Amino acid sequence: QSQEFSQAHIDYHVALQALQEHGTHMVCTGKMHTDRICRFDYLCYCSEADEFIFFHSNSSVMLPNLGSRRFQPALLDLSSVEDHNTQYFNFLELPAAALKFMPKPVFVPDVTLIFNRFNPDNLMHVFHDDLLPVFYTMKQYSDLDDEARLVFMEGWGEGPHFDLYRLLSSKQPLLKEQLRNFGKLMCFTKSYIGLSKMTTWYQYGFVQPQGPKANILVSGNEIRQFARSLMEKMNITTVEEAEKDGGSAENEKEKDKKDDYVVVFSRSTTRLILNEAELIMALAQELQMRVVTVSLEEQSFPSIVQVISGASILVSMHGAQLITSLFLPRGATVVELFPFAVNPEQYTPYKTLASLPGMDLHYISWRNMKEENTITHPDRPWEQGGIVHLEKEEQERILASKDVPRHLCCRNPEWLFRIYQDTLVDIPSLLEVLLEARKTKANFKKSKPASTVHPGRVREPQCQTSVQTRNEAKLTVSWQIPWNLKYLKVREVKYEVWIQEQGENTYMPYILPQQNYTFSENIKPFTTYLVWVRCIFNKNLLGPFADVLMCKT
Ligand code: UDP
């Protein structure tokens, strides 16, 4: 495969002259290295030095201009994993005049997005750390379109999921090792460096034990739009789309019912379900549904997504393959199985995903509570959970423990030992949680997306007061509906009123169905009250408070 950018598409001399005269131009977003993405004109990469180079000239721009704070600790994170010290980006500086003494640059004509994949061998990491962040970083900058070039700087090979990265743009992504093929000095005409972290929901436990991110900024809507776009590119059609394309609703309902099926996502090398055949039989019998198995070892990824996108229930051991639950239809159920001594509450990337607002998935976990049903692998290498390399005492402690204590990523031997166990799934206890969930959720059927339209402020809030007696007073508060309500069909509209006596630090909250109310309890004469009013749709969609009212009795 020849690796050359046709230098004919760009006027080489114009480009070289621009670089020599204007140097590099950088403007970034973000206050901190952790939320920064930078856009460059004429950023260069020297493969010999393995460094990006910023050329200074009289007209070069570097914003933010941090001086040496650029190294404290870095200009930005190259991956979507926050503040990881193996993922820092910086460039080297040179005067543009130095170009005279350097190899002739090769110009990259494409708009380029440069970043690190975090762990391209692991499907969960591929989606959570790379595909989703790249997809939405590209949405953020309109010139990062289907023609954009992706450059992976982490230095790994293509990896097992390279085809998924290829769906993000029509151009072949470049690996770091390939950059040297273009010559000693490569200059990116237009490039972006860094990834948006807006879509990530999980932190892997580098500084505190793993768990959901503190401030999740993504909803099921964005995840599902990403999933739909990927499915389109994989030429997968969903049942919902097939319905749109014809067939009476009645027929489709009928078909839907017959087609309700369970997917068991199986792993064939580690963390096995030892009685998978028995499990499949039991599920089919108890749920009266077809059961299909899929595995990454046996099927193409698109064919797995095709199956999952129509499933009612997805059953799988904890593991990266569960990220495919983002392709489940709304209303489906994720059943995550955990090996002995592993607490489901402490490892929740898939629970958090399923629970994102608007994801509309049900989530159930099951944990092997019977030690006799677990098969351990103490003799394996440490990264597959082996413990024979540890001191005898430590081995014994781990073997005696029935619960892995909270720990940091990524080499805790007790955690690895337990998470790589194989499990004989106790069918009755699994069926019990499944049937219980079915009862409480009423049904496992596909549901319509819930509305996410929030109320506007209530308008023209007013208060009127009157003094009744020496220690009795009345406070009447009234307001108009939010402006957007007249265009909406809302199941339930309520108002919340907060009343606070000036100078006090507590308030009384009231929920009201109507647009005015006269308060008399706890209202004192000759007192100033602060009153806030907001609208609430369907119990949980809160609007903003109107400006505070000052009401004197
Ligand atoms: N994997 C698999 N079958 C197996 C074991 C692993 O398909 O029997 C896949 C898994 O889905 C993930 C990758 O191999 O994409 C790495 O698996 P590992 O157990 O290291 O990670 P985990 O699943 O715990 O995130």
Side-chain angles (χ1 to χ4, degrees), residues 29-30 33 36 52 69 82 156 206 255 276 280 316 327 335 390 405 407 410 423 529:
T29 61
H33 71 278
R36 192 165 289 140
F52 283 91
R69 283 170 295 160
E82 186 138 323
W156 296 30
F206 297 110
K255 204 172 111 206
E276 210 166 87
I280 289 165
S316 175
F327 295 105
V335 183
L390 300 173
H407 58 90
C410 312
T423 305
Y529 291 95

Side-chain angles (χ1 to χ4, degrees), residues 119-126 160-161 265-272 295-297 317-323 350 383 415 419-420:
N119 182 356
D121 287 349
N122 181 301
L123 196 62
M124 153 66 180
H125 287 281
V126 169
H161 305 292
F265 206 136
S266 85
R267 295 171 57 111
S268 351
T269 56
T270 61
R271 208 175 302 150
L272 307 177
S295 86
L296 288 168
E297 286 91 348
M317 265 295 156
H318 172 79
Q321 68 287 344
L322 266 171
I323 193 65
Y350 313 110
E383 68 276 11
W415 152 250
I419 199 58
Y420 280 111

Side-chain angles (χ1 to χ4, degrees), residues 81 180 311 361 416:
V81 174
R180 63 178 68 252
L361 293 175
L416 292 170

Side-chain angles (χ1 to χ4, degrees), residues 310-517:
S312 301
I313 305 179
L314 174 62
V315 181
S316 175
M317 265 295 156
H318 172 79
Q321 68 287 344
L322 266 171
I323 193 65
T324 54
S325 54
L326 66 82
F327 295 105
L328 282 169
R330 293 178 192 280
T333 299
V334 179
V335 183
E336 183 172 13
L337 312 177
F338 287 83
F340 181 75
V342 179
N343 183 347
E345 290 307 309
Q346 291 173 19
Y347 310 96
T348 56
Y350 313 110
K351 180 186 183 179
T352 307
L353 168 64
S355 312
L356 290 177
M359 202 57 211
D360 298 335
L361 293 175
H362 306 301
Y363 174 90
I364 313 173
S365 64
W366 173 91
R367 170 183 183 178
N368 175 21
M369 299 302 281
K370 297 186 169 171
E371 191 157 11
E372 67 270 24
N373 284 353
T374 198
I375 300 290
T376 62
H377 299 285
D379 301 328
R380 286 188 180 168
W382 71 267
E383 68 276 11
Q384 288 167 42
I387 52 170
V388 286
H389 64 286
L390 300 173
E391 298 207 344
K392 210 84 247 117
E393 229 170 80
E394 180 63 357
Q395 290 185 37
E396 275 159 18
R397 188 193 63 74
I398 291 175
L399 289 169
S401 162
K402 310 228 174 300
D403 214 333
V404 178
R406 283 196 182 270
H407 58 90
L408 294 181
C409 189
C410 312
R411 296 181 167 210
N412 183 292
E414 184 173 353
W415 152 250
L416 292 170
F417 176 68
R418 290 304 185 184
I419 199 58
Y420 280 111
Q421 295 169 114
D422 300 329
T423 305
L424 195 78
V425 173
D426 178 60
I427 308 274
S429 73
L430 175 60
L431 288 177
E432 195 180 319
V433 292
L434 263 171
L435 297 175
E436 191 54 38
R438 169 126 87 169
K439 242 191 279 162
T440 56
K441 293 295 181 229
N443 63 25
F444 281 52
K445 301 230 53 111
K446 299 174 182 76
S447 61
K448 277 221 192 79
S451 169
T452 52
V453 177
H454 292 84
R457 298 161 154 241
V458 301
R459 291 182 306 155
E460 298 169 43
Q462 288 173 3
C463 55
Q464 282 174 334
T465 59
S466 61
V467 173
Q468 307 297 114
T469 66
R470 211 153 40 85
N471 39 31
E472 279 176 274
K474 283 188 173 163
L475 168 60
T476 302
V477 186
S478 64
W479 57 88
Q480 300 298 316
I481 63 168
W483 178 82
N484 61 349
L485 179 53
K486 62 176 181 281
Y487 297 103
L488 299 172
K489 270 192 206 143
V490 182
R491 199 164 11 93
E492 183 198 88
V493 180
K494 292 233 164 116
Y495 297 93
E496 185 168 17
V497 178
W498 289 5
I499 301 182
Q500 179 181 46
E501 190 179 324
Q502 193 170 40
E504 296 291 316
N505 52 19
T506 59
Y507 60 86
M508 289 294 298
Y510 301 87
I511 299 278
L512 305 167
Q514 72 276 29
Q515 283 157 249
N516 58 68
Y517 193 76

Side-chain angles (χ1 to χ4, degrees), residues 247-313:
S248 76
E250 205 51 30
N251 267 342
E252 292 297 337
K253 233 185 214 160
E254 192 65 3
K255 204 172 111 206
D256 250 27
K257 215 176 213 157
K258 247 189 265 152
D259 265 12
D260 260 1
Y261 58 89
V262 182
V263 174
V264 174
F265 206 136
S266 85
R267 295 171 57 111
S268 351
T269 56
T270 61
R271 208 175 302 150
L272 307 177
I273 298 171
L274 294 168
N275 54 341
E276 210 166 87
E278 189 194 356
L279 171 68
I280 289 165
M281 299 280 277
L283 290 172
Q285 197 144 53
E286 284 297 319
L287 302 171
Q288 286 294 303
M289 281 194 222
R290 199 150 61 83
V291 181
V292 187
T293 56
V294 295
S295 86
L296 288 168
E297 286 91 348
E298 269 147 56
Q299 273 139 310
S300 73
F301 192 75
S303 72
I304 292 175
V305 173
Q306 175 78 65
V307 172
I308 288 183
S309 69
S312 301
I313 305 179

Side-chain angles (χ1 to χ4, degrees), residues 93-346:
E93 293 161 277
L94 277 178
L99 279 163
K100 282 201 291 284
F101 310 104
M102 297 181 72
K104 283 193 81 180
V106 171
F107 289 96
V108 181
D110 315 314
V111 181
T112 305
L113 176 60
I114 301 169
F115 63 95
N116 281 1
R117 295 178 298 169
F118 188 71
N119 182 356
D121 287 349
N122 181 301
L123 196 62
M124 153 66 180
H125 287 281
V126 169
F127 274 88
H128 178 270
D129 309 343
D130 307 338
L131 298 176
L132 269 159
V134 169
F135 183 84
Y136 280 107
T137 303
M138 292 176 73
K139 298 281 174 225
Q140 191 169 343
Y141 301 102
S142 59
D143 49 352
L144 287 174
D145 55 16
D146 190 52
E147 313 265 273
R149 179 78 66 175
L150 305 182
V151 176
F152 304 157
M153 288 305 295
E154 78 289 335
W156 296 30
E158 287 189 355
H161 305 292
F162 199 64
D163 281 347
L164 291 173
Y165 295 92
R166 294 178 58 221
L167 299 175
L168 295 170
S169 119
S170 62
K171 299 222 164 102
Q172 173 82 354
L174 291 177
L175 302 171
K176 180 175 172 177
E177 65 185 13
Q178 293 168 328
L179 296 185
R180 63 178 68 252
N181 303 345
F182 297 101
K184 287 190 175 147
L185 189 61
M186 232 177 141
C187 295
F188 297 93
T189 314
K190 291 210 157 110
S191 60
Y192 292 85
I193 304 203
L195 289 180
S196 165
K197 298 182 173 75
M198 218 80 92
T199 58
T200 58
W201 63 85
Y202 207 69
Q203 62 84 11
Y204 299 121
F206 297 110
V207 289
Q208 51 171 310
Q210 64 170 275
K213 283 204 336 186
N215 188 11
I216 294 177
L217 302 173
V218 68
S219 82
N221 175 49
E222 292 71 38
I223 305 282
R224 288 195 174 279
Q225 291 203 33
F226 159 83
R228 196 182 335 131
S229 164
L230 232 54
M231 285 167 69
E232 266 166 33
K233 290 178 184 159
M234 292 187 283
N235 283 323
I236 295 169
T237 49
T238 63
V239 177
E240 278 151 57
E241 275 157 18
E243 271 169 21
K244 254 188 254 154
D245 295 347
S248 76
E250 205 51 30
N251 267 342
E252 292 297 337
K253 233 185 214 160
E254 192 65 3
K255 204 172 111 206
D256 250 27
K257 215 176 213 157
K258 247 189 265 152
D259 265 12
D260 260 1
Y261 58 89
V262 182
V263 174
V264 174
F265 206 136
S266 85
R267 295 171 57 111
S268 351
T269 56
T270 61
R271 208 175 302 150
L272 307 177
I273 298 171
L274 294 168
N275 54 341
E276 210 166 87
E278 189 194 356
L279 171 68
I280 289 165
M281 299 280 277
L283 290 172
Q285 197 144 53
E286 284 297 319
L287 302 171
Q288 286 294 303
M289 281 194 222
R290 199 150 61 83
V291 181
V292 187
T293 56
V294 295
S295 86
L296 288 168
E297 286 91 348
E298 269 147 56
Q299 273 139 310
S300 73
F301 192 75
S303 72
I304 292 175
V305 173
Q306 175 78 65
V307 172
I308 288 183
S309 69
S312 301
I313 305 179
L314 174 62
V315 181
S316 175
M317 265 295 156
H318 172 79
Q321 68 287 344
L322 266 171
I323 193 65
T324 54
S325 54
L326 66 82
F327 295 105
L328 282 169
R330 293 178 192 280
T333 299
V334 179
V335 183
E336 183 172 13
L337 312 177
F338 287 83
F340 181 75
V342 179
N343 183 347
E345 290 307 309
Q346 291 173 19

